[in-house]
């Protein structure tokens, strides 16, 4: 297939592009490079620099050739920031996605795959299924839910087939491609900056949650496993007009457990500082992937947290300053 992929200079999008290319698909990456890195764009992918919010630029890029699908990874992703600057997230994530959806429909694209999030759900003590209660704890999750709802209306009105993949905490690395945000705000790379000597400690935001050790519990999924699931979902849109799947390992790890695992992987003592809660952090979010396993036969290749952090550590050791 010929794929138009937004956000392909970012972390998850660049890995997805590599997986698509390895499977023989053609990939055109459209990225503003506001948060992405040109060096992350894989060899073999065509690249256009542009803003998803620029309807004229997106339309022109989509009109250059016949695309079989759009895969949308371009979004702001910081839950905490979304609670401080909601307008930034509604404009970039929601309004710009609408631009892209309308441009895709106008160009005759029939398939759309959305990188969504388990943050669309309300916090739960049980693993989250697709039927679980929706209730975003932050604006970031709200924008992703609204994009999903927009896609549903465009499916009904224009026949746009779509898949939404809801996951939380992509982590790990593949050869030549890892996680590099500026500034960094994700837990695993922040932890790994301590043994690298980049920071003195890592913060634990909130130690009074109703969880076994008082810290937030999250699911972690290897970025390579996310990409394989996106590919399966894309291929399944030939026989389905609407797919919504959770992606996770079904096992939750507390912040303290992630830090302790990183200590074992790196062989370094990592100083952790307890800090007050941040707005927008749900106590527990763990995704059940039973449905996509049953429907599409997807299984994570790297479900163990040790393997996930080990792959991230290998990449960060050779790329301490990112790309």
């Amino acid at each position: 297939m010929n794929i138009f992929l937004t956000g392909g200079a970012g972390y998850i999008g660049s890995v997805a592009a590599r997986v698509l290319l390895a499977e023989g698909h053609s990939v055109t990456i459209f990225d503003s490079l506001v948060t992405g890195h040109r060096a992350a764009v894989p060899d073999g992918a065509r690249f256009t620099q542009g803003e998803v919010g620029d309807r004229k630029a997106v339309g022109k890029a989509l009109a250059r050739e016949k695309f079989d699908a759009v895969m949308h990874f371009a979004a702001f992703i910081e839950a905490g920031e979304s609670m401080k600057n909601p307008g930034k997230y509604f404009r970039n994530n929601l309004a710009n996605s609408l631009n892209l959806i309308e441009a895709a429909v106008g160009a005759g694209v029939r398939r759309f795959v959305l990188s969504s999030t388990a943050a669309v759900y309300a916090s739960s003590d049980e693993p989250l299924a697709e039927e679980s209660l929706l209730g975003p704890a932050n604006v970031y999750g709200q924008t992703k839910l609204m994009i999903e709802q927009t896609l549903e209306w465009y499916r009904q009105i224009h026949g746009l087939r779509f898949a939404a993949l809801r996951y939380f905490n992509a982590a790990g690395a593949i050869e030549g491609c890892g996680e590099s945000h500026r500034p960094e705000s994700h837990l695993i790379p922040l932890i790994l900056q301590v043994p690298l000597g980049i920071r003195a400690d890592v913060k634990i935001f909130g130690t009074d949650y109703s969880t076994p050790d008082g810290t937030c519990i999250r699911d972690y999924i290897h970025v390579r496993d996310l990409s394989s699931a996106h590919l399966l979902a894309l291929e399944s849109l030939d026989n389905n007009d609407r797919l919504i799947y959770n992606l996770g390992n079904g096992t939750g790890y507390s912040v303290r457990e992630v830090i302790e695992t990183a200590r074992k992987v790196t062989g370094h003592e990592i100083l952790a500082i307890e800090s007050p809660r941040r707005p927008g952090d749900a106590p527990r979010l763990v995704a059940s992937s039973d449905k996509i396993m049953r429907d599409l036969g997807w299984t994570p290749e790297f479900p163990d947290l040790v393997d996930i952090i080990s792959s991230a550590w290998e990449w960060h050791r050779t790329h301490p300053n990112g790309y």
Side-chain angles (χ1 to χ4, degrees):
M1 281 188 270
N2 192 18
I3 313 300
F4 187 86
L5 192 151
T6 68
Y11 172 44
I12 301 172
S14 63
V15 175
R18 282 168 168 78
V19 171
L20 288 164
L21 289 166
E23 292 294 324
H25 298 289
S26 299
V27 178
T28 294
I29 288 174
F30 190 87
D31 196 298
S32 68
L33 299 182
V34 169
T35 59
H37 308 276
R38 182 64 180 85
V41 175
D43 294 338
R46 297 177 292 276
F47 176 73
T48 298
Q49 184 172 353
E51 297 278 352
V52 176
D54 185 338
R55 176 62 187 276
K56 184 177 179 180
V58 173
K60 183 178 179 181
L62 281 166
R64 288 190 186 126
E65 51 191 290
K66 177 63 177 176
F67 289 100
D68 299 299
V70 167
M71 299 184 76
H72 185 29
F73 295 90
F76 292 145
I77 58 174
E78 308 300 339
E81 182 190 45
S82 76
M83 298 297 285
K84 298 175 182 177
N85 190 355
K88 176 181 178 180
Y89 280 71
F90 283 116
R91 281 188 295 272
N92 184 71
N93 292 6
L94 180 58
N96 289 358
S97 293
L98 176 59
N99 249 353
L100 178 64
I101 293 166
E102 290 195 321
V105 169
V109 178
R110 306 302 296 171
R111 304 174 188 87
F112 195 106
V113 179
L114 172 68
S115 173
S116 192
T117 174
V120 301
Y121 294 110
S123 179
S124 173
D125 291 335
E126 301 297 327
L128 297 162
E130 287 78 3
E131 299 78 23
S132 295
L133 179 67
L134 299 174
N138 51 65
V139 172
Y140 163 66
Q142 181 66 40
T143 61
K144 289 289 190 174
L145 178 58
M146 294 172 78
I147 299 167
E148 290 185 16
Q149 293 168 335
T150 301
L151 284 167
E152 170 59 19
W153 282 110
Y154 276 75
R155 181 190 70 82
Q156 293 182 31
I157 296 169
H158 294 290
L160 179 63
R161 296 169 177 258
F162 80 93
L165 285 300
R166 296 170 173 171
Y167 51 85
F168 208 98
N169 288 342
I174 64 172
E175 185 177 355
C177 190
E179 190 169 7
S180 179
H181 302 111
R182 296 175 184 167
E184 188 56 72
S185 62
H186 289 183
L187 181 60
I188 289 176
L190 284 174
I191 293 171
L192 296 179
Q193 286 181 358
V194 179
L196 288 171
I198 296 172
R199 63 177 60 242
D201 55 61
V202 64
K203 301 291 191 297
I204 300 176
F205 293 104
T207 58
D208 59 345
Y209 289 98
S210 57
T211 57
D213 68 11
T215 65
C216 291
I217 293 176
R218 295 290 184 267
D219 204 341
Y220 292 86
I221 181 168
H222 198 287
V223 66
R224 177 62 176 80
D225 290 329
L226 284 182
S227 299
S228 64
H230 280 83
L231 178 57
L232 283 172
L234 172 62
E235 294 170 345
S236 297
L237 286 178
D238 284 339
N239 301 313
N240 300 275
D241 63 355
R242 178 181 182 271
L243 296 171
I244 294 179
Y245 288 123
N246 291 342
L247 291 174
N249 290 316
T251 301
Y253 297 94
S254 73
V255 176
R256 295 190 198 276
E257 288 175 315
V258 176
I259 294 171
E260 185 56 36
T261 302
R263 288 172 177 149
K264 294 176 181 177
V265 167
T266 64
H268 289 73
E269 181 57 42
I270 296 170
L271 179 62
I273 304 297
E274 296 185 357
S275 302
R277 292 188 186 193
R278 296 178 302 186
D281 281 344
R284 188 180 193 278
L285 286 173
V286 178
S288 166
S289 300
D290 290 349
K291 190 171 189 292
I292 191 171
M293 290 178 176
R294 183 175 62 250
D295 291 356
L296 305 186
W298 175 84
T299 55
E301 186 178 353
F302 307 101
D304 191 271
L305 185 62
V306 170
D307 293 333
I308 292 172
I309 294 180
S310 294
S311 69
W313 178 233
E314 287 301 312
W315 190 82
H316 284 285
R317 283 169 56 187
T318 55
H319 299 77
N321 298 311
Y323 289 101

